[in-house]
Amino acid sequence: MVKKIYTVLIFLLTFALSFSSNIKNVRFNSFPTQVVFDLDETKPIYISEYDETSRTLFVEVGGVTDHYDKKVTNKLPKYVESIQEYKYDGSHGFFLKLQKNIFHKVSIRKNPNRLVIDLSKSRNIKQYTVVIDPGHGGKDSGAIGIKNVKEKDIVLNIGKYLRDELKEDFNVVMTRDRDEFISLTNRSRIANKKGADIFVSIHANSSNQSSHNGMEIFYFSKKSSPYAASVARYENSFGEKYGENTSSIVQIAGEIAYNKNQEKSIPFASNLTKNLSKTMGMRNRGIHGANFAVLRGVNCPGILIEVGFIKSPKDYSIINSRSHQKKMAKNIAEHIRNYFY
Ligand SMILES: [Zn+2]
């Protein structure tokens, strides 16, 4: 342990010369149980080591130019037996002796910038819930494309690949993981019941003109352009077709949450569409706000991805290929990870 820490120290000191990240505050959260170090840097230099025998977790932040000088050892967080603090030239270290059978996870989070130690009795520490919503299903095939390919099948494949990419790090909930019919109302109900932190609905676009191609992402908005409104109307029409009154799906979040959710959805959608279209070699049709029934009822940031046009030969060859579906899922997963961490 001592030797390890010495090595760590040398490592940190080397970086300390070129970076600075200061601890602004240390807090303990009780639900979920966390020790939080607020930092003034997005990409801090830090290191963490855990010694099983002594049950000691060592965390050190490097590049410290201004030491945090409030004493953090007066009060102990849950699951922690003791804390020892060490200040070195250019770095700040903490030894946390954990109680028996406590698991930990150290991560860097953004907004605000912080280093978080999650502590739990469960080995499986997952903080965020991602709800994946493959559109349509069962009697509702969605749009029909080239060679009679069905939207419901393409989006289910992508959804399942996305789940596989995320399940290690997130609580992943799928509104459907097989070919079954789920009403739009129930999709948002599932998301809210599971406490979704983000909702990702996957669809494929349709147009009678085969020259229309590319991907685009929608977020919920009460106002929309005529184009975005027409896409929302089209997707909502499937709900209506199967007996659902989509206008009865109420927006659950209040005005403040509505603005906040939209504020979070827009940059996420915008980064994703730029990067994903590039990765897939597809046209980027941008992001649009529209009144999608499925997004309206969800009480968290949510997006609806139209992964491509099912009747466009160019898009069809991409979105109907397993390897491309996997590639797409990988890229979406990366953006979801960046959104949270
Ligand atoms: Zn659809």
Side-chain angles (χ1 to χ4, degrees):
M1 185 73 178
V2 173
K3 192 176 161 219
K4 246 188 206 168
I5 290 164
Y6 184 70
T7 321
V8 167
L9 197 58
I10 300 289
F11 165 81
L12 287 172
L13 283 175
T14 318
F15 279 95
L17 299 172
S18 46
F19 293 93
S20 90
S21 62
N22 295 312
I23 299 170
K24 293 193 297 184
N25 192 21
V26 181
R27 340 177 237 128
F28 305 145
N29 290 339
S30 49
F31 186 77
T33 307
Q34 294 176 325
V35 179
V36 182
F37 301 91
D38 288 305
L39 303 167
D40 62 0
E41 176 66 40
T42 11
K43 285 180 184 155
I45 306 300
Y46 79 100
I47 202 124
S48 73
E49 290 281 349
Y50 183 67
D51 181 63
E52 296 274 352
T53 328
S54 64
R55 302 198 308 270
T56 303
L57 173 65
F58 174 70
V59 176
E60 185 170 342
V61 177
V64 172
T65 51
D66 211 359
H67 273 287
Y68 179 71
D69 52 11
K70 280 189 203 121
K71 209 162 165 50
V72 296
T73 49
N74 290 343
K75 212 181 120 209
L76 287 177
K78 201 173 152 191
Y79 304 142
V80 175
E81 280 180 9
S82 67
I83 297 184
Q84 275 183 295
E85 211 182 332
Y86 289 89
K87 289 174 191 173
Y88 306 107
D89 195 11
S91 64
H92 202 137
F94 298 86
F95 289 92
L96 284 83
K97 176 149 186 173
L98 305 186
Q99 289 174 2
K100 271 183 200 161
N101 305 319
I102 294 301
F103 297 94
H104 71 275
K105 187 173 178 181
V106 180
S107 59
I108 294 294
R109 314 267 174 97
K110 293 185 282 193
N111 301 322
N113 300 324
R114 62 212 195 272
L115 185 151
V116 177
I117 305 171
D118 282 293
L119 298 169
S120 170
K121 283 188 170 173
S122 150
R123 185 184 293 277
N124 211 355
I125 305 176
K126 291 172 182 170
Q127 293 301 315
Y128 298 109
T129 300
V130 178
V131 174
I132 301 170
D133 174 49
H136 315 278
K139 62 184 175 189
D140 172 11
S141 300
I144 309 286
I146 291 173
K147 291 185 187 160
N148 270 334
V149 69
K150 295 177 179 117
E151 178 184 359
K152 66 171 184 178
D153 295 328
I154 290 179
V155 299
L156 179 61
N157 286 346
I158 299 172
K160 287 205 281 199
Y161 287 134
L162 181 58
R163 171 195 62 194
D164 295 345
E165 290 288 337
L166 292 171
K167 64 183 179 194
E168 282 290 306
D169 307 315
F170 295 92
N171 300 310
V172 179
V173 175
M174 294 193 75
T175 54
R176 68 175 182 103
D177 59 3
R178 63 189 80 109
D179 186 19
E180 66 177 326
F181 178 79
I182 314 266
S183 70
L184 298 176
T185 314
N186 278 339
R187 290 167 195 263
S188 39
R189 223 176 251 161
I190 292 168
N192 297 334
K193 212 170 138 191
K194 297 283 182 182
D197 293 295
I198 195 161
F199 180 83
V200 179
S201 193
I202 307 171
H203 286 256
N205 226 331
S206 181
S207 162
N208 287 327
Q209 278 170 281
S210 61
S211 59
H212 283 176
N213 68 83
M215 65 169 62
E216 54 198 354
I217 300 183
F218 295 85
Y219 54 91
F220 175 64
S221 171
K222 290 183 234 173
K223 284 185 221 149
S224 59
S225 68
Y227 170 71
S230 74
V231 179
R233 228 180 358 256
Y234 176 72
E235 290 292 0
N236 293 346
S237 75
F238 288 95
E240 302 285 344
K241 189 174 164 188
Y242 296 100
E244 202 175 358
N245 177 7
T246 56
S247 59
S248 70
I249 301 178
V250 289
Q251 184 208 334
I252 289 174
E255 277 310 302
I256 293 172
Y258 164 71
N259 290 329
K260 223 175 174 179
N261 287 340
Q262 197 178 68
E263 241 168 62
K264 287 182 177 171
S265 307
I266 291 173
F268 177 70
S270 166
N271 288 336
L272 180 58
T273 183
K274 267 183 227 150
N275 197 270
L276 185 61
S277 57
K278 208 169 149 194
T279 305
M280 303 308 297
M282 296 172 80
R283 184 178 160 208
N284 174 13
R285 300 174 63 92
I287 63 165
H288 315 269
N291 197 338
F292 282 88
V294 72
L295 296 178
R296 194 190 312 134
V298 174
N299 198 4
C300 69
I303 57 163
L304 186 145
I305 311 175
E306 295 280 2
V307 294
F309 280 75
I310 204 163
K311 287 179 184 163
S312 141
K314 183 176 186 283
D315 286 1
Y316 166 82
S317 65
I318 299 171
I319 62 177
N320 195 42
S321 125
R322 287 266 176 181
S323 64
H324 283 91
Q325 290 169 352
K326 229 179 243 181
K327 194 173 170 186
M328 199 176 255
K330 214 183 171 90
N331 190 282
I332 300 170
E334 233 170 73
H335 279 83
I336 293 177
R337 241 178 237 114
N338 288 342
Y339 171 82
F340 287 108
Y341 298 106

